[in-house]
Each structure stands twice: as structure tokens, then as C-alpha cells.
Amino acid sequence: MAKRDYYEILGVSKSASKDEIKKAYRKLALKYHPDKNKGDKTSEDKFKEASEAYHVLSDDKRKTNYDQFGHAAFEGGGGQGFGNFDFGSSFSDIFEDFFGDDVFGGGRRSGRRSSNRGNDLRYDVTISLEEAYSGLNKKVNYSTYKKCSRCTGHGSEPGSKPVTCQFCNGRGKVRSNQGFFTIQQTCPECSGYGETISNPCKQCNGNGKIQSKESVSVKIPKGVDDGTRIRVSGKGEAGSKGGSTGDLYLFISIENHSIFKRSDEHLYFELPITFTDAALGSSVEVPSIDGGKAKIKIPAGTQHGKQLRLRGKGMPLLRGSGYGDLYIKIITEVPSSLNTKQKELLEEFRKIESEKSSPIIKSFFDRAKKFWKNS
């Protein structure tokens, strides 16, 4: 059967760049890789076909020969045809470049030193709304792993050094054949470090780190909110084999307040007033989050549920300057019990009120009468 054009197989043009060729091959390799299509002979053939095409088109010299002579450039004694293509050796390097150690089973390694980095730590901090308003310095006590002082984190007794791993010859990786393909994996003997410790440190037993109690003072800026995350660089767990230290993350929670409710940079509370203050108007001192007082004017005829705003009396903006606003919702309180004098005055008021009925009430009952008539 005639072989398909390599450009057609990868779905690229002859003018495609190396990056475009590589991207097209990666897409096909992920789709047809035998580990993802176990027992599917068609997928296996497509995978081999795409791999052969990439092997030729990714190399400038092979690509030039192919562009001039087509498949004939690789036929005969020096050719690498579809049937005898060396997947086991040539493509372990290609796939290491694409996918790292565990070809389709994990992320690519970024080097031994970065993989030795210590763990990040989380510490939950609960503060009051007032503390979130003003900001504070918070002392945090926590348990972590510090670099061993005796071996300076390398795991070997002073005066001795780690030795090259004999299982992987210091590469940190081993290869195994799975059918036609060679899989490269982390060395099980040295866990990818490429070295083993022959004389472990007596203080840390070769771990390179020891458990320790730590204390750090962290500045919590004003304006923080629930869920704010603060990173303290280099205060996490010590790394292994000389790796870098992880970070400490503080997750902020804000306690519920007895008066104020918060939404982003704005504050809210409900202000109960008498119905006479609502009707006649009044001036009232209300609390503000900074611990002070603010005077507000309640206009005559203020309705239940009306919201008043005090500009700049909310929370500080976490990023930037300025403050949010304070919103005050008016709650008109109706007395549940009246003395004789109050009843007399209100009865008199009701008589006067009925003579000058409220336009809102009158409008409602006019609409209600029409509704009853049409029903």
C-alpha cells in the first residue's frame, strides 16, 4: 500500500514552521498513543505513522531530502520505512522532550533541584472586622520542617558526600520497554535524585531536615476580606537535598460583627427608629467602624426600609486608596403596647388622618375597587 504524504499525516503545509510541526504531532500523539487506546490496532498504526512523519519533518536535513525526493529518499539500505522504524530508541528522546519522565502519566519534571523544593504550608487566621479595618501585625506560631543544621540539608554526615546511584548511573531515570515503545520513569532507588546517601546524617537520619517550631510576625494590611491569602516567602518546609524552601500562606477569615455587615469595601447596618421620628424627622448619632460616631439626619416622612448613605465610612480599599461607604437601612418600629394617653392621641390623629387620606393609600384602594368590580 502506498505511503501517505507526511505533511498530510500531520495536517500541516510544506511551509509549516518547526513549532507548527511539533504542535501538530503532539496533538496526534496524545490522541492515538497506545496507552490511551489499549488493544486498538488502528490507533497504534496512526500513532506509528504520525511518529515516522514527525521524525522526518522535524529534522532539517531529512525534511530537505523528503521535499526533494519524497519517500524514495528513505528507501533502500539507508531508509527508515514504516515497517522497520526504530520507535524504541529514537522516540524515547522525542517523548522525553514533549512529556517528561512519565510520558502520559504526569507532568514534566523541571529539574531535580526544583522537584526538591519544600512543601508550602497553610495557616488559618481569624481576625475581627475592626482589625481588618485598621490592619495589624500578627504573630504566627506553627510547626514545620527546617533544614538540618548538622548536614546543611544534604542528608550526609559532615565529611561525607552522597554517591552516584548505581541503579540509574546518576541519571535519576530508568527506561523500560512496553511493546514497541520505551517508557522513561523516575528511578525507584534514588527517587530521581541520581544520588544515594551511604553515610546518613545522625541528626536527621539522612532526611536533610528536622521538625521544628517556628514563629513569624506577619503584617496583615488594612482592608483584608474573608478569603484573602497572604504569602510569606521562604517560611514553609525546607527542601530536600539542598532544594529551596516552600512558602507559608495565611488564609484570612473575618469574624461576624454584632452591628456591621460587609460586602466588599462597603458596610451595612439596620437602624431602628420610632414611627414618630420617621414621620417628624430627627437627628441620630450612629456608630462607625473606626470606633467613632457619625451624625445623620432622618428627613421627615422617611419610609420604612429607606437606605441612607455615609460616604467614606466603609472599609479601606485593599488595593488602592480610599474607603467604601456605610449604608444605613431605616427600620421603623411600631409599638406593640400603648398606654391610655398614647391611645387617645393616636385616635385623635386617626380622625384627622382620615380627613386627609394618604394619596398612596387612596390610590391603592381605588385600584382595588376596580379589581373587585371586574372580578
Side-chain angles (χ1 to χ4, degrees), residues 4-16 21 53 57 63 66-67:
R4 291 174 63 202
D5 181 77
Y6 287 150
Y7 293 103
E8 178 187 341
I9 292 170
L10 296 183
V12 297
S13 67
K14 285 190 175 183
S15 60
I21 292 171
L57 299 183
K63 183 176 183 297
Y66 179 73
D67 288 344

Side-chain angles (χ1 to χ4, degrees), residues 98-259:
F98 272 125
F99 308 109
D101 287 346
D102 302 317
V103 177
F104 285 89
R108 179 174 180 169
R109 292 173 63 90
S110 58
R112 294 178 193 167
R113 181 56 59 91
S114 62
S115 68
N116 298 349
R117 183 180 183 274
N119 292 326
D120 293 331
L121 297 179
R122 170 175 176 155
Y123 189 91
D124 294 326
V125 177
T126 301
I127 62 175
S128 68
L129 188 62
E130 290 90 342
E131 289 174 326
Y133 175 83
S134 59
L136 74 156
N137 287 315
K138 184 75 172 178
K139 187 177 181 180
V140 175
N141 299 310
Y142 62 103
S143 179
T144 184
Y145 281 93
K146 285 188 64 177
K147 185 184 293 185
C148 175
S149 58
R150 181 177 177 86
C151 66
T152 65
H154 292 281
S156 294
E157 267 289 287
S160 64
K161 295 181 178 180
V163 296
T164 301
C165 175
Q166 299 300 309
F167 194 82
C168 65
N169 293 321
R171 296 184 68 248
K173 306 169 185 178
V174 291
R175 292 181 176 183
S176 60
N177 293 320
Q178 293 185 10
F180 71 89
F181 198 69
T182 298
I183 301 296
Q184 194 164 247
Q185 296 175 316
T186 301
C187 173
E189 186 70 22
C190 66
S191 301
Y193 296 128
E195 298 174 331
T196 57
I197 296 173
S198 58
N199 186 17
C201 171
K202 295 177 181 177
Q203 183 167 293
C204 65
N205 296 318
N207 292 321
K209 49 189 177 181
I210 55 175
Q211 195 164 23
S212 172
K213 298 289 185 181
E214 288 294 300
S215 178
V216 62
S217 181
V218 181
K219 183 179 180 180
I220 299 177
K222 61 183 181 180
V224 293
D225 202 350
D226 254 339
T228 298
R229 188 180 68 171
I230 299 173
R231 181 171 72 96
V232 186
S233 180
K235 292 297 182 180
E237 285 190 4
S240 301
K241 314 297 182 186
S244 60
T245 304
D247 299 328
L248 173 66
Y249 287 90
L250 270 60
F251 284 74
I252 307 298
S253 296
I254 310 296
E255 294 174 338
N256 291 330
H257 199 276
S258 60
I259 296 176

